[in-house]
Amino acid sequence: YSPAMTDFIFMVRDRSYMFVTGPDVVKTVTNETVTAEELGGAKIHTAKSSVADGAFADDVEALLQVRRLIDFLPACNTSGVPVWPSFDTPERVELSLDTLVPDNPNKPYDVKELIGKIVDEGDFFEIQESFAKNIVTGFARMEGKSVGIVANQPMVLAGVLDSDASRKAARFVRFCDAFEIPIVTLVDVPGFLPGTAQEYGGLIQHGAKLMFAYSEATVPLVTVIVRKAFGGAYDVMASKHIGADVNYAWPTAQVAVMGAKGAVEIIFRADMNDPEKIAARTKEYEQRFLSPFVAAERGYIDEVIMPHATRRRVARALAMLATKKAERPWRKHDNIPL
């Protein structure tokens, strides 16, 4: 169990293994025939169990990547994030971001492209890349200072949150908060993944882990809603309601309890046989409720920003929050929904 007590675990493919009981004991006790690789190899622990954070081809690459990770981390939780010389101006404008999000709200795009274009020199170190790919977590720098990035990935499951994604992001947020690393959250989430498998697997409790992690965080929290932010998934993704400091939205953002189509089919179920009425109701819902300006009117969004200005606005927000000090009432310890 000692590896699991550490903050990060890296493995070498086809060479490193972790398991509580080895293949021989498994064969004796459960009569399962399994190899060491199938039981506890790098592929298993990075893609299925989520015990490991990354797998590399050989020892040299693993050590180089560990060094790269250490460059992003502070020496201790009181020393502040490391500052590296940056040749990338915080005022850089990325005009290509204005066309990143497709006009069709159901068409995906790669959120890693967005991350690469707003962080210093496109340098992004991803954590748990092979697990719960519908959410992306990792470290980058803004103005030479380390930040944690949490982003929904529309390329996988349309970016929905499920149990695995919630656990992955919650642990990452807790780590960043423990070491005073600011967190930038990029939101494009249509909701939580429905279905019996998720509910039986404790989606409510796993989703609560992410909400708890964000609400307990005292580090600077900057959120950008890129496209969809619906329902409870909007809440848990560093919304204003659970303590985010600065919340921006792109003009393409849609903030609501649910999407227009789903809402209209529920509210106007009697008109389901009339396509024209449904289309009119859908358009009305989109204009009345989905606009980011409606959320801004109510104070849920601080400002609607142009996509090409995202880097500049996030950098300014982080600079403003650099001296943030959040006071919490004393207690023995919190009770995270484990």
Side-chain angles (χ1 to χ4, degrees):
Y1 293 101
S2 56
M5 297 299 291
T6 61
D7 294 309
F8 298 99
I9 301 172
F10 294 119
M11 301 180 72
V12 177
R13 298 188 190 98
D14 304 319
R15 193 176 301 176
S16 46
Y17 312 99
M18 289 189 291
F19 28 67
V20 178
T21 54
D24 294 340
V25 177
V26 170
K27 173 68 175 175
T28 302
V29 177
T30 68
N31 205 31
E32 292 178 90
T33 302
V34 64
T35 66
E37 184 66 33
E38 294 169 338
L39 182 63
K43 186 175 180 180
I44 296 299
H45 286 309
T46 53
K48 289 189 176 181
S49 73
S50 79
V51 173
D53 298 287
F56 306 107
D58 53 46
D59 296 358
V60 174
E61 185 187 0
L63 291 170
L64 288 173
Q65 293 300 322
V66 168
R67 288 182 179 182
R68 185 165 170 238
L69 170 64
I70 295 298
D71 286 344
F72 287 100
L73 306 182
C76 68
N77 67 322
T78 58
S79 63
V81 294
V83 182
W84 285 75
S86 176
F87 303 100
D88 200 347
T89 171
E91 299 297 317
R92 172 165 54 82
V93 171
E94 272 295 343
L95 294 176
S96 61
L97 292 181
D98 290 340
T99 55
L100 176 67
V101 176
D103 293 334
N104 183 348
N106 297 320
K107 190 174 180 181
Y109 60 91
D110 191 354
V111 78
K112 293 182 187 179
E113 182 181 348
L114 167 58
I115 296 170
K117 288 181 177 179
I118 65 171
V119 302
D120 285 1
E121 291 141 5
D123 187 18
F124 177 59
F125 186 91
E126 189 170 356
I127 299 295
Q128 290 198 333
E129 181 180 1
S130 300
F131 179 72
K133 294 182 179 181
N134 44 325
I135 201 160
V136 175
T137 57
F139 297 103
R141 294 185 183 90
M142 296 291 287
E143 296 194 82
K145 299 177 181 179
S146 297
V147 295
I149 304 286
V150 179
N152 303 113
Q153 175 57 288
M155 297 286 286
V156 181
L157 294 174
V160 297
L161 284 175
D162 58 9
S163 295
D164 289 343
S166 299
R167 288 192 295 114
K168 170 182 171 179
R171 176 165 172 80
F172 182 77
V173 169
R174 293 287 281 182
F175 174 85
C176 290
D177 187 48
F179 286 88
E180 296 292 335
I181 301 172
I183 302 169
V184 176
T185 307
L186 305 174
V187 182
D188 186 353
V189 60
F192 280 97
L193 183 63
T196 55
Q198 287 293 309
E199 296 296 350
Y200 296 169
L203 178 61
I204 293 173
Q205 192 169 45
H206 292 307
K209 292 175 183 176
L210 183 52
M211 177 178 280
F212 187 95
Y214 270 123
S215 61
E216 279 290 299
T218 59
V219 296
L221 298 175
V222 179
T223 303
V224 181
I225 300 177
V226 177
R227 186 164 63 176
K228 299 174 182 176
F230 294 156
Y234 152 73
D235 275 325
V236 306
M237 287 297 294
S239 66
K240 186 72 75 176
H241 314 280
I242 61 171
D245 299 299
V246 178
N247 293 66
Y248 293 127
W250 286 8
T252 50
Q254 298 177 337
V255 184
V257 173
M258 62 174 63
K261 186 174 183 294
V264 167
E265 288 177 354
I266 292 172
I267 299 170
F268 302 103
R269 188 168 295 172
D271 298 330
M272 284 298 292
N273 294 325
D274 190 337
E276 290 186 3
K277 275 189 177 180
I278 290 295
R281 296 291 191 183
T282 301
K283 188 173 182 180
E284 179 186 351
Y285 184 93
E286 289 174 349
Q287 293 174 341
R288 179 66 186 88
F289 296 108
L290 291 189
S291 168
F293 296 99
V294 175
E297 284 176 3
R298 297 175 180 174
Y300 306 150
I301 300 296
D302 292 300
E303 197 167 351
V304 178
I305 64 173
M306 290 303 294
H308 65 253
T310 303
R311 173 175 166 81
R312 180 173 75 239
R313 303 309 294 271
V314 170
R316 287 182 182 178
L318 290 171
M320 178 184 70
L321 296 167
T323 57
K324 173 186 174 181
K325 296 292 181 185
E327 294 184 4
R328 297 285 193 215
W330 184 90
R331 57 183 168 183
K332 187 174 181 181
H333 59 75
D334 57 45
N335 188 21
I336 187 171
L338 295 171

